[in-house]
Amino acid sequence: MRRNPEPQAPALKHAAVTIALTEGEGGDTAFLLTLRAASLRTHSSQWALPGGRCDPGETPAQGALRELHEELGVGLSESDVLGLLDDYPTRSGYLITPVVVWVSTASAIVPNPAEVASVHRIAIAAIEAEDAFSFTSIPESARRVIRFRYAAQHIHAPTAALIYQFREVLAGRDTRVAELEQPVFAWK
């Protein structure tokens, strides 16, 4: 899935997230989305894909798998990695690598309450809907802000941008997302 990665800026810290595919309601494929715990120091109470900062010496896949285990109790190996999407540079100083994995239905999902308030299975059909994503502008940037609508709420970039690129890959479209903007509240 991964195409040419975006050039890496040396000042950015490496992070990785998982687009963790699993079986959803009715046997359809879904991915796991979390609502971050309110007690977290940064990005508290925000929607996110499981993931976080990579430890020194970790590959993005290793970091994503470690974070998936820490946040949701799901233990996978690198053989469960289906592919990587493009890196996404954030305004808060991270270069996020999305790692696509398959989570067996036999895997227990046990959220760590210190990091995760709730876990949601989002059907792939929800991101394929024509109105699932919207774009808006903000005075602070010339770049378009992307939003993903879920449960009558807007989920913003970077999460929305990564989910959008995954949708585009599924549809066979070669779409880049590094130029999609985050809302100002996510710049910290």
Side-chain angles (χ1 to χ4, degrees):
M1 284 185 234
R2 187 176 177 98
R3 299 173 199 78
N4 297 326
E6 299 297 323
Q8 296 181 14
L12 298 178
K13 299 167 282 226
H14 290 274
V17 298
T18 56
I19 296 180
L21 302 174
T22 190
E23 189 174 308
E25 292 181 24
D28 294 336
T29 301
F31 66 94
L32 301 176
L33 186 66
T34 66
L35 184 60
R36 292 171 51 90
S39 60
L40 290 172
R41 191 174 45 108
T42 58
H43 305 292
S44 62
S45 300
Q46 289 183 13
W47 293 97
L49 296 164
R53 190 172 183 171
C54 291
D55 287 342
E58 276 185 328
T59 66
Q62 291 166 339
L65 293 172
R66 177 185 48 77
E67 288 285 344
L68 181 64
H69 186 259
E70 289 175 7
E71 292 180 19
L72 300 181
V74 175
L76 300 177
S77 71
E78 288 188 64
S79 65
D80 296 304
V81 173
L82 303 174
L84 306 175
L85 298 178
D86 291 346
D87 292 336
Y88 182 89
T90 70
R91 291 282 194 154
S92 59
Y94 287 91
L95 187 67
I96 301 174
T97 300
V99 179
V100 183
V101 300
W102 178 257
V103 177
S104 149
T105 55
S107 299
I109 298 171
V110 183
N112 175 348
E115 297 191 43
V116 176
S118 59
V119 181
H120 305 261
R121 291 177 192 255
I122 312 299
I124 296 299
I127 65 173
E128 293 173 333
E130 203 167 306
D131 63 347
F133 294 90
S134 62
F135 300 89
T136 189
S137 60
I138 56 174
E140 295 84 357
S141 177
R143 296 165 37 194
R144 296 180 308 155
V145 174
I146 185 171
R147 300 180 299 194
F148 167 54
R149 182 183 305 275
Y150 171 68
Q153 297 182 21
H154 281 117
I155 298 169
H156 300 278
T159 301
L162 304 177
I163 295 168
Y164 181 72
Q165 187 179 42
F166 181 66
R167 175 185 97 156
E168 294 295 285
V169 167
L170 290 177
R173 293 186 286 266
D174 187 20
T175 302
R176 299 287 181 257
V177 295
E179 79 287 350
L180 295 176
E181 185 63 271
Q182 301 169 252
V184 174
F185 70 80
W187 291 14
K188 302 176 191 138

